[in-house]
Amino acid sequence: MSEPKAPTPAPGDTYKGWLFKWTNYIKGYQRRWFVLSNGLLSYYRTQAEMGHTCRGTINLATANIAVEDSCNFVISNGGTQTYHLKASSEVERQRWITALELAKAKAFRMQAESDDSGDESTPPAAGQGGGARNSEVQSTLRTLGSKVEDLSTCNDLIAKHGSALQRSLSELEGVRLGGETSEKIRQVTERATLFRITSNAMINACRDFLALAQAHSKRWQKALQAEREQRVRLEETLEQLAKQHNHLERAFRGATVLPPSQSNPAIDSKGSVPGKGDASDEDEENEFFDACEDVQEFITVPADPKYHRRSGSNVSGISSEMGMDDGTTSLDEQSMASNPESPQSQEVVPVRKRRTRIPDKPNYSLNLWSIMKNCIGKELSKIPMPVNFNEPLSMLQRLSEDLEYYELLDRGAKCQSSLEQMCYVAAFTVSSYSTTVHRTGKPFNPLLGETFELDRLQESGYRSLCEQVSHHPPAAAHHAISERGWTLRQEIALASKFRGKYLSIMPLGSIHCIFEKSNNHYTWKKVTTTVHNIIVGKLWIDQSGEIDIVNHRTGDRCHLKFAPYSYFSRDVARKVTGVVTDKDGKAHYVLSGTWDEKMECSRVMQSSRGGENGADGRQKTVYQTLKAKELWRKTPLPEGAENMYYFSTLALTLNEPEEGVAPTDSRKRPDQRLMEQGRWEEANAEKQRLEEKQRTARREREREANRSANPEEALIEDSISDSPLKSGHQDSYKAMWFDRCVDPMTGEPTHIYRGGYWETKEQGNWDSCPDIF
């Protein structure tokens, strides 16, 4: 496929394109994507790798560029790095050579200026913008000064050569020549003198200009700083107005029934849907996925144009809520508009203003190897970890972050088709991993009996409760219920192993989602999370595995595959694919996207076997689909998130102090609060105190359980309570708000919320809660 040729680059421009790079004698030249920016030449296997994996970088400031023939050239920095490159044509090679030479000259000049100004101190500014403006002014002044110095040098040369010229002319005057010749020599001497006077005047004017610029530089800096502060104030005002508009829109949506053209958050919140369709035009080529049936691959191709006609026989059951039939009103919107039970006149309640920042993360160094070298092969829950590895949230709060994109379940609750509803449930399942892409910090292990409530009833219509129901193995129960007609419950136990280079976290337990209106009951399990480069290198997280979402009422299924990152893969990183099928195995929707950015859905109009052969030699399934429609897109992180543990907008509010919560709530955990405030040494001491207090309470429960079972051995048990023999005894702990039972859907032992928490909160009677902090 031919690619457009890039224009000839201007000085300082970023230049990108494909080149062939010599790898070895076996593979020869391989096609690589090269990026030239800021004096650095970097290359990648594909364009998709630019966000996470750079294969190599060379600094052009110290590099040599040599041309071998019409298409080949070499870049070397003195022996440590040498790139043998080949362009597709001589014209393309010349474009790259021009761009590289310009970038090299600029990089060398910037390096020289940096060396000259290395001892100069930059005045502090109020913010990054002010510092950038000040440095820009200083750089301009330095440039002007250097140009004036160049002019002074030229003036000295003019004066030197002018004096020599005048001496020569004076000598000629002494020679006996004709009257006309002497007159000519005298005229040349006068003109040379005038030229010297003019050049001296020009230099003096340039010096005056430079002095004037230096005198006014502070005034310029103050003016620029004032403009920057005014811009920041305007941005903050716009942000506040946007938030107020969002809150009013949500309150209005909850208080009144919107017209069908406004009641679809999938369209309105993202802007115009046709614009999204334009972005998916790339799907006109064949896309390759891993199939859900028999682990075969499949291909999606555009459906026949006849399926796009506004014909009820061809697109029956396709709702515009999924964007499958442009211009029609969905059945769910019609039913909501005509439902007499829909809220008509609810009072708009002012929404509480949540915090948008937490203290910046301190920069504390820590020797990882000294802690990890004796922990290989052990469970993570049994390793005493300092708070340096943590983030100021508990695992219960991280579990509550699954509700970051609760709107997907709200939209799913409005669907009349269980297959459409399955698509939203699948998108919700994938969205829960988007908050983990940069979150390499370990959450605090909850203490036994610790709880966390997330009451968003007024803002978002739901409330949830988490409780740590077991400590070894660690397990947490979660229950969330929404006024929009859905319930989410789960019990997650973590099995983790440290393997030296990476850490694997395997969540155990099922997640249940029940929709009240349709009585559809969905269950699924989480995939494995892997943290790479534990000892050496930059930490990064990958999600891999397969998820089967089952609707127990209808038999519908959705098989999702999270592709693990591979160095040799040419596919998009963090890719997720899936197929929604009914109880008979017929495919209705194809899902595609990434777990850190977005998910899209395409309606399957026809499927057949007989496509290209897959890697295992078997034939692929070909799905003819309509244009893909966006189900979910990740919300950008707040400004400065890199200094706040990469918390999302919701995560920033989870540890915000609240009145009336239970005394066992994670917000009241002292070590976690101290870490959030940046007092890490005190947090480490407090963490050790709480863990020892928990161990003491567990030993006491085991002694009490043993006394109840066999009073005659109570004294013996007291004497050996600290012995390893006690490990065989059962902990008699009973959860405060959850009952242990066998799940009727999965047949697994689990904890289900028995009620009473929110009623107790209203009464303010927490006397029955244990003292764990």
Side-chain angles (χ1 to χ4, degrees):
M1 179 177 178
S2 61
E3 298 185 12
K5 295 183 178 180
T8 302
D13 287 350
T14 299
Y15 196 58
K16 305 176 183 179
W18 292 101
L19 288 173
F20 292 90
K21 179 181 178 295
W22 176 265
T23 56
N24 51 50
Y25 285 100
I26 298 177
K27 295 185 178 180
Y29 283 97
Q30 295 293 321
R31 193 165 178 257
R32 297 290 182 261
W33 179 256
F34 280 80
V35 177
L36 173 60
S37 178
N38 297 325
L40 300 176
L41 180 65
S42 306
Y43 74 95
Y44 310 84
R45 287 176 62 93
T46 62
Q47 298 182 47
E49 281 191 348
M50 290 179 61
H52 58 90
T53 306
C54 177
R55 305 294 176 174
T57 301
I58 191 168
N59 189 350
L60 295 177
T62 58
N64 295 321
I65 304 172
V67 178
E68 290 187 336
D69 55 28
S70 60
C71 294
N72 292 39
F73 58 99
V74 179
I75 303 174
S76 176
N77 63 354
T80 57
Q81 284 180 297
T82 302
Y83 294 168
H84 294 267
L85 306 176
K86 181 169 68 174
S88 58
S89 64
E90 186 174 358
V91 175
E92 184 68 18
R93 186 218 62 185
Q94 189 58 43
R95 286 174 176 166
W96 274 102
I97 292 296
T98 303
L100 291 169
E101 292 290 354
L102 292 173
K104 178 182 177 181
K106 184 177 180 181
F108 182 79
R109 187 166 57 252
M110 292 176 62
Q111 185 176 9
E113 291 177 359
S114 176
D115 294 339
D116 294 339
S117 62
D119 297 332
E120 297 178 2
S121 60
T122 303
Q128 295 180 356
R133 297 290 188 183
N134 294 341
S135 61
E136 182 180 353
V137 172
Q138 295 296 334
S139 176
T140 303
L141 290 175
R142 285 196 299 269
T143 303
L144 289 174
S146 64
K147 297 301 181 184
V148 172
E149 291 297 330
D150 293 343
L151 289 173
S152 298
T153 303
C154 295
N155 179 68
D156 294 339
L157 293 173
I158 291 172
K160 177 181 177 181
H161 296 301
S163 299
L165 177 61
Q166 285 182 333
R167 285 196 301 270
S168 300
L169 292 173
S170 299
E171 294 173 355
L172 287 175
E173 287 180 356
V175 179
R176 294 182 178 179
L177 298 172
E180 184 178 355
T181 305
S182 298
E183 183 65 24
K184 293 293 184 182
I185 292 174
R186 189 164 43 254
Q187 291 178 1
V188 172
T189 303
E190 291 176 356
R191 291 174 181 175
T193 303
L194 290 174
F195 180 75
R196 290 180 60 192
I197 294 172
T198 305
S199 65
N200 284 329
M202 180 185 65
I203 294 301
N204 292 331
C206 290
R207 286 199 177 110
D208 292 341
F209 171 76
L210 180 60
L212 184 65
Q214 290 175 341
H216 288 78
S217 63
K218 293 184 178 179
R219 184 183 303 174
W220 294 345
Q221 292 175 10
K222 289 181 180 179
L224 290 171
Q225 180 66 14
E227 291 292 335
R228 191 196 70 83
E229 292 176 353
Q230 184 177 4
R231 186 194 66 187
V232 171
R233 286 194 297 269
L234 288 173
E235 289 176 352
E236 292 176 351
T237 303
L238 287 174
E239 182 181 0
Q240 293 297 328
L241 289 174
K243 290 180 179 179
Q244 293 176 9
H245 179 270
N246 186 30
H247 293 158
L248 289 174
E249 185 178 352
R250 289 185 178 179
F252 179 73
R253 189 183 297 121
T256 60
V257 178
L258 298 179
S261 62
Q262 300 178 0
S263 61
N264 193 343
I267 298 176
D268 293 343
S269 64
K270 302 297 180 184
S272 119
V273 167
K276 198 66 205 167
D278 296 339
S280 63
D281 290 342
E282 299 175 358
D283 294 339
E284 292 181 1
E285 294 184 341
N286 294 346
E287 274 192 319
F288 297 87
F289 302 92
D290 291 326
C292 74
E293 49 183 9
D294 299 331
V295 199
Q296 295 178 356
E297 294 181 340
F298 61 83
I299 307 172
T300 59
V301 297
D304 192 275
K306 68 181 181 179
Y307 292 114
H308 294 273
R309 298 170 186 166
R310 300 282 298 278
S311 169
S313 61
N314 287 334
V315 292
S316 60
I318 305 176
S319 153
S320 70
E321 184 179 354
M322 299 293 291
M324 298 310 165
D325 189 10
D326 299 336
T328 61
T329 302
S330 69
L331 298 176
D332 300 307
E333 291 170 347
Q334 294 175 359
S335 62
M336 288 296 293
S338 61
N339 186 2
E341 298 180 1
S342 299
Q344 296 289 339
S345 59
Q346 295 182 359
E347 182 180 356
V348 177
V349 180
V351 179
R352 171 181 172 179
K353 185 177 180 180
R354 305 283 178 178
R355 69 180 182 181
T356 58
R357 287 199 63 84
I358 62 173
D360 287 352
K361 177 183 178 181
N363 186 17
Y364 289 140
S365 60
L366 185 67
N367 187 354
L368 299 179
W369 181 247
S370 63
I371 297 174
M372 291 293 190
K373 63 182 179 180
N374 295 323
C375 302
I376 297 176
K378 297 181 181 179
E379 288 190 22
L380 185 64
S381 59
K382 296 183 179 180
I383 301 175
M385 304 288 282
V387 298
N388 303 59
F389 291 99
N390 287 23
E391 61 180 16
L393 289 179
S394 74
M395 189 62 200
L396 301 181
Q397 291 165 317
R398 284 289 292 269
L399 198 60
S400 301
E401 281 191 72
D402 285 358
L403 298 170
E404 176 94 21
Y405 299 97
Y406 67 92
E407 299 96 338
L408 292 169
L409 297 182
D410 290 349
R411 289 151 62 184
K414 298 178 182 179
C415 294
Q416 291 189 347
S417 168
S418 62
L419 294 168
E420 293 178 9
Q421 193 176 75
M422 175 70 82
C423 293
Y424 283 115
V425 173
F428 174 79
T429 303
V430 176
S431 70
S432 64
Y433 296 97
S434 63
T435 60
T436 66
V437 62
H438 299 296
R439 300 274 290 279
T440 55
K442 170 185 171 293
F444 279 79
N445 288 333
L447 302 174
L448 189 60
E450 185 176 333
T451 61
F452 177 73
E453 68 163 72
L454 184 61
D455 191 351
R456 294 292 190 270
L457 205 59
Q458 292 185 356
E459 297 105 317
S460 308
Y462 73 87
R463 53 173 39 162
S464 80
L465 175 67
C466 290
E467 181 180 359
Q468 187 76 359
V469 295
S470 175
H471 188 64
H472 286 300
H478 181 207
H479 183 272
I481 188 168
S482 171
E483 292 181 334
R484 314 287 167 80
W486 55 264
T487 301
L488 185 76
R489 62 178 175 88
Q490 57 182 321
E491 179 179 348
I492 299 297
L494 297 180
S496 53
K497 291 293 183 180
F498 176 59
R499 301 297 186 185
K501 290 185 178 181
Y502 62 90
L503 175 70
S504 296
I505 303 172
M506 293 78 69
L508 308 175
S510 298
I511 306 173
H512 299 251
C513 183
I514 304 101
F515 291 95
E516 180 181 348
K517 181 180 178 181
S518 60
N519 202 29
N520 288 329
H521 190 136
Y522 299 87
T523 63
W524 67 92
K525 296 178 182 290
K526 289 180 175 286
V527 297
T528 298
T529 300
T530 306
V531 184
H532 295 269
N533 295 342
I534 294 293
I535 299 297
V536 180
K538 183 179 179 181
L539 294 176
W540 61 279
I541 292 178
D542 193 24
Q543 312 286 351
S544 60
E546 299 181 3
I547 294 179
D548 281 304
I549 307 175
V550 181
N551 184 343
H552 292 272
R553 188 184 72 85
T554 62
D556 301 337
R557 287 179 174 270
C558 177
H559 182 85
L560 294 173
K561 181 173 182 180
F562 290 65
Y565 175 78
S566 173
Y567 180 87
F568 302 100
S569 176
R570 296 179 180 270
D571 216 334
V572 178
R574 306 184 182 98
K575 186 174 183 179
V576 181
T577 57
V579 178
V580 176
T581 58
D582 57 21
K583 63 180 180 179
D584 299 322
K586 180 182 178 181
H588 290 263
Y589 294 100
V590 171
L591 305 176
S592 62
T594 57
W595 55 264
D596 67 325
E597 183 182 359
K598 66 176 181 178
M599 284 297 292
E600 294 179 338
C601 170
S602 302
R603 174 80 177 191
V604 176
M605 306 311 301
Q606 189 174 350
S607 62
S608 61
R609 292 289 181 90
E612 300 180 25
N613 289 334
D616 55 359
R618 290 183 291 183
Q619 290 182 328
K620 300 175 184 178
T621 301
V622 180
Y623 293 126
Q624 294 186 17
T625 63
L626 298 181
K627 184 177 291 186
K629 300 298 178 182
E630 187 173 273
L631 293 173
W632 160 77
R633 179 176 288 275
K634 180 184 177 182
T635 303
L637 293 175
E639 183 179 359
E642 65 277 5
N643 300 321
M644 299 184 294
Y645 308 90
Y646 288 98
F647 282 178
S648 64
T649 303
L650 174 63
L652 289 173
T653 67
L654 294 180
N655 206 42
E656 184 177 9
E658 288 192 16
E659 297 293 334
V661 299
T664 56
D665 196 273
S666 299
R667 299 176 180 89
K668 297 188 175 183
R669 182 165 176 166
D671 54 348
Q672 186 172 299
R673 182 67 59 191
L674 288 169
M675 184 195 175
E676 183 184 280
Q677 296 170 356
R679 300 154 63 183
W680 284 16
E681 293 183 1
E682 299 175 55
N684 274 318
E686 191 65 22
K687 182 173 181 288
Q688 293 179 9
R689 181 189 70 81
L690 291 175
E691 290 174 350
E692 181 57 34
K693 181 178 180 180
Q694 181 173 236
R695 285 190 286 267
T696 302
R698 181 177 184 180
R699 287 194 294 265
E700 182 61 30
R701 285 195 307 273
E702 289 174 347
R703 282 197 293 267
E704 291 296 330
N706 189 67
R707 287 192 185 98
S708 300
N710 193 351
E712 296 180 357
E713 298 181 1
L715 295 177
I716 300 176
E717 168 61 19
D718 288 340
S719 64
I720 64 170
S721 60
D722 294 328
S723 169
L725 296 175
K726 73 181 182 68
S727 60
H729 298 163
Q730 296 295 325
D731 193 342
S732 60
Y733 177 79
K734 184 178 181 181
M736 186 73 185
W737 308 107
F738 290 80
D739 286 330
R740 183 174 176 82
C741 61
V742 176
D743 191 285
M745 285 293 177
T746 63
E748 301 173 348
T750 187
H751 283 80
I752 297 180
Y753 178 62
R754 66 167 174 266
Y757 178 87
W758 304 106
E759 293 77 9
T760 304
K761 181 182 178 181
E762 291 179 2
Q763 299 170 4
N765 183 13
W766 302 109
D767 296 339
S768 58
C769 290
D771 178 20
I772 62 174
F773 298 143

